[in-house]
Amino acid sequence: MSDIYSERRSIRRFLDQPIEEEKLTAICTAARMAPSWGNRQCCELVLVRQPETRERLSALLSAKNPAILATRDAPVVIAVCGVPKRSGFYKEVQVTRYGHWFLFDLGLVSANICLKAWELGLGSVIVGSFDHQAAEQLLAVPAGCELVALIPLGYPAHHPSAPPRRELAEFVHLERFS
Ligand SMILES: Cc1cc2nc3c(=O)[nH]c(=O)nc-3n(C[C@H](O)[C@H](O)[C@H](O)COP(=O)(O)O)c2cc1C
């Protein structure tokens, strides 16, 4: 099947070409419209364009992370942050089994960002393995808010093939877990 859900790939090399402001606004709007726990909208985004900051961020990725150069060279890196106590909490009290719905919400935001980017001809990669604390300091993320993922964004300079996916029959269960 050919649609953005099947065709989107993680892109780790980018052309030296800026991203149009309208496209960035469309991507942030897609993030804005993501569903969230209780519509609490815990997400905060930091758009990083300065080469020096991107370089410093890239140095915080784990040593073998395949997205180091992507983080350094992408024209824009989106830092996906969120307020943990806003999702799954009422008046600071956890009200569901899970205390980390903010990660779920930020995942939905990230999916919207990557899919909208792909629809607009842009590539992206979600980066989750880095020194989160140092990155928060670098980007001045305030207390009570956490930086969860980085998303380098730009025009693709390569066209990777799809990594394998499990067959539907392996994870879709009918009526009962089989
Ligand atoms: C939560 C999350 C964290 C990820 N962290 C990294 C990362 O640190 N470095 C990286 O190169 N790719 C990272 N990826 C990208 C995955 O490796 C990629 O999505 C997966 O291999 C499937 O490939 P595809 O996106 O092209 O379909 C991450 C993806 C997700 C969803």
Side-chain angles (χ1 to χ4, degrees):
M1 192 186 294
S2 105
D3 56 29
I4 56 168
Y5 307 98
S6 301
E7 288 178 1
R8 181 211 54 81
R9 291 277 68 78
S10 289
I11 296 299
R12 297 180 178 86
R13 280 186 279 129
F14 300 102
L15 300 178
D16 185 16
Q17 184 180 334
I19 300 176
E20 298 84 345
E21 282 304 314
E22 317 82 71
K23 290 194 176 184
L24 266 183
T25 302
I27 288 165
C28 292
T29 304
R32 174 181 181 235
M33 299 315 294
S36 65
W37 195 95
N39 197 30
R40 289 294 183 80
Q41 305 172 62
C42 73
C43 174
E44 306 282 337
L45 301 177
V46 183
L47 307 189
V48 181
R49 276 180 265 224
Q50 285 184 359
E52 192 197 319
T53 313
R54 290 192 272 106
E55 174 129 36
R56 290 173 69 186
L57 275 178
S58 74
L60 298 176
L61 270 57
S62 43
K64 290 190 177 157
N65 197 314
I68 292 175
L69 295 183
T71 305
R72 190 192 68 184
D73 298 337
V76 176
V77 175
I78 301 182
V80 180
C81 311
V83 180
K85 287 282 174 72
R86 213 177 278 169
S87 297
F89 289 78
Y90 279 122
K91 296 183 180 158
E92 300 273 304
V93 177
Q94 184 179 323
V95 293
T96 80
R97 172 175 172 177
Y98 300 108
H100 285 89
W101 282 113
F102 89 110
L103 294 176
F104 194 98
D105 289 353
L106 296 185
L108 292 165
V109 164
S110 300
N112 274 17
I113 287 173
C114 295
L115 289 166
K116 187 66 187 178
W118 193 261
E119 186 185 304
L120 296 172
L122 292 159
S124 64
V125 57
I126 296 171
V127 180
S129 183
F130 58 94
D131 182 338
H132 285 81
Q133 204 176 352
E136 284 170 352
Q137 277 171 9
L138 180 62
L139 301 184
V141 176
C145 188
E146 294 186 18
L147 166 51
V148 172
L150 300 169
I151 307 184
L153 202 61
Y155 284 95
H158 69 141
H159 301 281
S161 49
R165 293 301 204 259
R166 295 162 72 199
E167 295 298 333
L168 293 187
E170 289 180 53
F171 70 96
V172 178
H173 308 277
L174 300 179
E175 312 301 343
R176 288 168 69 88
F177 209 107
S178 51

